[in-house]
Amino acid sequence: MPRVLIFAPSPLLTVTVEGDASGTDLHVHAGGQGVWQSRMLQTLGAEVAICGVLTGESGRVVRHLLEDDDLTVHAVHREGRGGAYVHDRRSGERVEIVEIAGDPLSRHELDELYTLTIREAMTADLVLLSGPVGDEVLPDDVYRRLASDLTAAGRTVVVDLAGGRLAAALDGGVRLAKVSDAELEEADASAGTSVDGLIAAASRLRDAGARSVVVTRAGHPAILVDGDEVSTVQAPVMEAVDPTGAGDSFTAALAASLAAGDSLHEAVALAAAAGALNVTRHGLGTGDGEAIRRLSTQVEIVRAGREDGEQLSPDDLAGRLEVDER
């Protein structure tokens, strides 16, 4: 069983109000990017551990919820305000009632979390770096240091980050970076919305420190840049019930497959299937492992090459994609 360690610095306590003809109900779960990713990792058969900081009353509840889900929790405990939200979904759409990012981590708490993560990473097949709830929880440079130190220690590092945290992690060096087109456009003003702009921006992320980059594009083929090779990744387009969490499912499946020793193309196919299937469900990061594996056989990964075997340039590929999407 592949072992994956998730750096999840600030797990959330989530409360969702649900309702139908039979009445109103409350659903209480642990949440946050790393937690949602952990659910999909478990679905796909990985052994998952989480490293994070659990704060105050909400943190004590989160720990119980995580352990009830059979997750191994390595945590720094502290007092204060932990991350949490209350959402009302009785209308069919998520309506924010309250959201709390939680208190920033002190220097001592950061030191403890950093050491804890390095220690537990030594027995993991892969380390997934996920983001905090709020921008002020911890400095971006923590991601650079972690990426650099974990890579130096021989760990495989995958990141699903944006903005300054992504730039910092790339500066440390990572095996694979997953980013959405919207995040890429926000981080790189020259990317624009065109396919050629996204390919060029993804190539710059590769040059900045990622061996491979995957750009997800809701409703359109994902773009994979692996060294000098550019490919498109097309999963069956499913009827969306709730698109929230599809990106985390994509990343988690990538991590599960790479941790198991699969090839990059096998991992990307599984990831595309996990993301496609997740939009058909209401739960974040949820799915059926066998359904995902079967759907992955329908994912098409097309290398940017001509019939004579000559590699297409990024501009040539962009032109082909633009035509296909019209």
Side-chain angles (χ1 to χ4, degrees), residues 177-199:
K178 175 264 176 185
V179 62
S180 72
D181 54 354
E183 291 166 339
L184 192 55
E185 291 161 24
E186 183 176 349
D188 189 336
S190 63
T193 58
S194 67
V195 175
D196 57 337
L198 293 174
I199 293 172

Side-chain angles (χ1 to χ4, degrees), residues 11-88:
L12 285 168
L13 178 63
T14 74
V15 180
T16 305
V17 184
E18 302 276 9
D20 54 27
S22 63
T24 299
D25 195 10
L26 291 178
H27 294 264
V28 181
H29 296 286
Q33 184 186 38
V35 174
W36 295 322
Q37 290 166 342
S38 74
R39 292 175 184 154
M40 180 55 68
L41 279 157
Q42 286 182 311
T43 294
L44 293 169
E47 179 182 333
V48 187
I50 285 182
C51 279
V53 175
L54 299 177
T55 305
E57 292 182 6
S58 62
R60 288 188 282 274
V61 175
V62 166
R63 176 159 203 143
H64 285 294
L65 293 170
L66 292 173
E67 291 176 342
D68 284 347
D69 288 336
D70 295 324
L71 287 168
T72 300
V73 181
H74 305 289
V76 175
H77 291 270
R78 64 170 183 165
E79 294 305 314
R81 294 175 301 171
Y85 72 61
V86 179
H87 287 177
D88 189 338

Side-chain angles (χ1 to χ4, degrees), residues 6-225:
I6 301 179
F7 178 71
S10 54
L12 285 168
L13 178 63
T14 74
V15 180
T16 305
V17 184
E18 302 276 9
D20 54 27
S22 63
T24 299
D25 195 10
L26 291 178
H27 294 264
V28 181
H29 296 286
Q33 184 186 38
V35 174
W36 295 322
Q37 290 166 342
S38 74
R39 292 175 184 154
M40 180 55 68
L41 279 157
Q42 286 182 311
T43 294
L44 293 169
E47 179 182 333
V48 187
I50 285 182
C51 279
V53 175
L54 299 177
T55 305
E57 292 182 6
S58 62
R60 288 188 282 274
V61 175
V62 166
R63 176 159 203 143
H64 285 294
L65 293 170
L66 292 173
E67 291 176 342
D68 284 347
D69 288 336
D70 295 324
L71 287 168
T72 300
V73 181
H74 305 289
V76 175
H77 291 270
R78 64 170 183 165
E79 294 305 314
R81 294 175 301 171
Y85 72 61
V86 179
H87 287 177
D88 189 338
R89 204 163 61 181
R90 286 175 292 182
S91 67
E93 302 291 332
R94 287 183 179 270
V95 178
E96 174 189 331
I97 304 301
V98 63
E99 294 197 3
I100 303 171
D103 295 329
L105 304 185
S106 70
R107 185 176 65 181
H108 172 72
E109 291 157 354
L110 276 173
D111 285 347
E112 291 299 308
L113 176 60
Y114 198 92
T115 300
L116 190 64
T117 303
I118 295 294
R119 185 189 77 195
E120 297 305 323
M122 293 304 99
T123 59
D125 297 303
L126 181 145
V127 181
L128 176 56
L129 302 183
S130 69
V133 176
D135 291 336
E136 306 302 321
V137 173
L138 77 170
D140 293 345
D141 193 58
V142 172
Y143 289 94
R144 180 195 60 78
R145 293 171 52 216
L146 275 175
S148 178
D149 289 346
L150 290 169
T151 299
R155 302 300 91 188
T156 298
V157 180
V158 172
V159 300
D160 184 355
L161 302 167
R165 291 188 285 271
L166 174 60
L170 293 177
D171 194 34
V174 302
R175 170 64 183 86
L176 186 145
K178 175 264 176 185
V179 62
S180 72
D181 54 354
E183 291 166 339
L184 192 55
E185 291 161 24
E186 183 176 349
D188 189 336
S190 63
T193 58
S194 67
V195 175
D196 57 337
L198 293 174
I199 293 172
S203 298
R204 286 191 286 273
L205 294 185
R206 174 205 59 200
D207 295 341
R211 192 189 314 173
S212 306
V213 178
V214 179
V215 182
T216 55
R217 306 162 63 231
H220 297 291
I223 297 168
L224 170 63
V225 176

Side-chain angles (χ1 to χ4, degrees), residues 227-291:
D228 293 329
E229 180 181 310
V230 181
S231 304
T232 62
V233 184
Q234 177 65 68
V237 179
M238 315 296 278
E239 290 286 336
V241 173
D242 184 354
T244 309
D248 290 329
S249 292
F250 188 106
T251 304
L254 268 177
S257 190
L258 290 175
D262 296 336
S263 71
L264 179 59
H265 278 202
E266 289 171 328
V268 171
L270 191 72
L277 194 61
N278 186 246
V279 304
T280 68
R281 302 168 60 91
H282 288 97
L284 301 180
T286 63
D288 178 280
E290 187 57 31

